[in-house]
Amino acid sequence: WLIAYESGKRAGVTKIGVTGELVRSFGRHGRASIRCSRPQGHHVVDAMTIENHDGKLARIAMATSCRREGQLRRLASVWRSGGDSVPGLRPDATGRLPYSQATEDLTFNTSGKLFALTGGHLYRMS
């Protein structure tokens, strides 16, 4: 199971096994996260999606609302199946999305490209 979470100034994904234990081989002790302070009055995690190859987890993407470097931003973060960040969007594995409206959905297409639906517009993230 993959669970999106927010804690303090971080947002991320926790991976747990079928009996509820943390899968410690994922990320750092079962969690992969990004630094992301919460904007006042808003939740952090907007949407999450996974990409599968032959029934196996390949990548995880999550849209977040963050205050980074003093500015309010909406970001998409991507991790590999083991919890390592994917640096294809930026060195910190995040890509900017328009902040005007929440991210409604994230999806990987058949070519493995990440798309975000925000305010009725589709944005290609990778």
Side-chain angles (χ1 to χ4, degrees):
W1 292 91
L2 296 168
I3 301 170
Y5 74 92
E6 51 193 68
S7 175
K9 293 188 177 184
R10 301 198 79 78
V13 179
T14 296
K15 187 173 184 180
I16 60 172
V18 293
T19 59
E21 77 283 359
L22 283 174
V23 179
R24 296 194 174 272
S25 60
F26 178 80
R28 296 186 66 185
H29 310 293
R31 295 181 179 94
S33 67
I34 59 166
R35 184 171 175 79
C36 181
S37 60
R38 179 196 303 254
Q40 187 174 3
H42 291 17
H43 65 298
V44 172
V45 178
D46 288 332
M48 188 173 82
T49 189
I50 62 171
E51 179 187 29
N52 287 305
H53 284 301
D54 299 324
K56 295 182 180 178
L57 177 66
R59 291 188 297 172
I60 306 158
M62 188 172 68
T64 57
S65 300
C66 297
R67 187 171 293 280
R68 298 270 303 263
E69 300 166 5
Q71 295 183 357
L72 201 57
R73 299 179 178 184
R74 193 170 304 284
L75 306 168
S77 302
V78 184
W79 295 277
R80 292 186 177 91
S81 60
D84 296 327
S85 62
V86 177
L89 299 175
R90 283 195 352 203
D92 61 358
T94 62
R96 291 184 67 168
L97 286 165
Y99 195 78
S100 58
Q101 295 179 330
T103 303
E104 298 163 35
D105 197 11
L106 285 172
T107 186
F108 289 103
N109 71 5
T110 55
S111 302
K113 301 296 183 191
L114 177 65
F115 290 84
L117 181 63
T118 301
H121 293 89
L122 195 62
Y123 295 89
R124 180 175 163 182
M125 299 298 299
S126 65

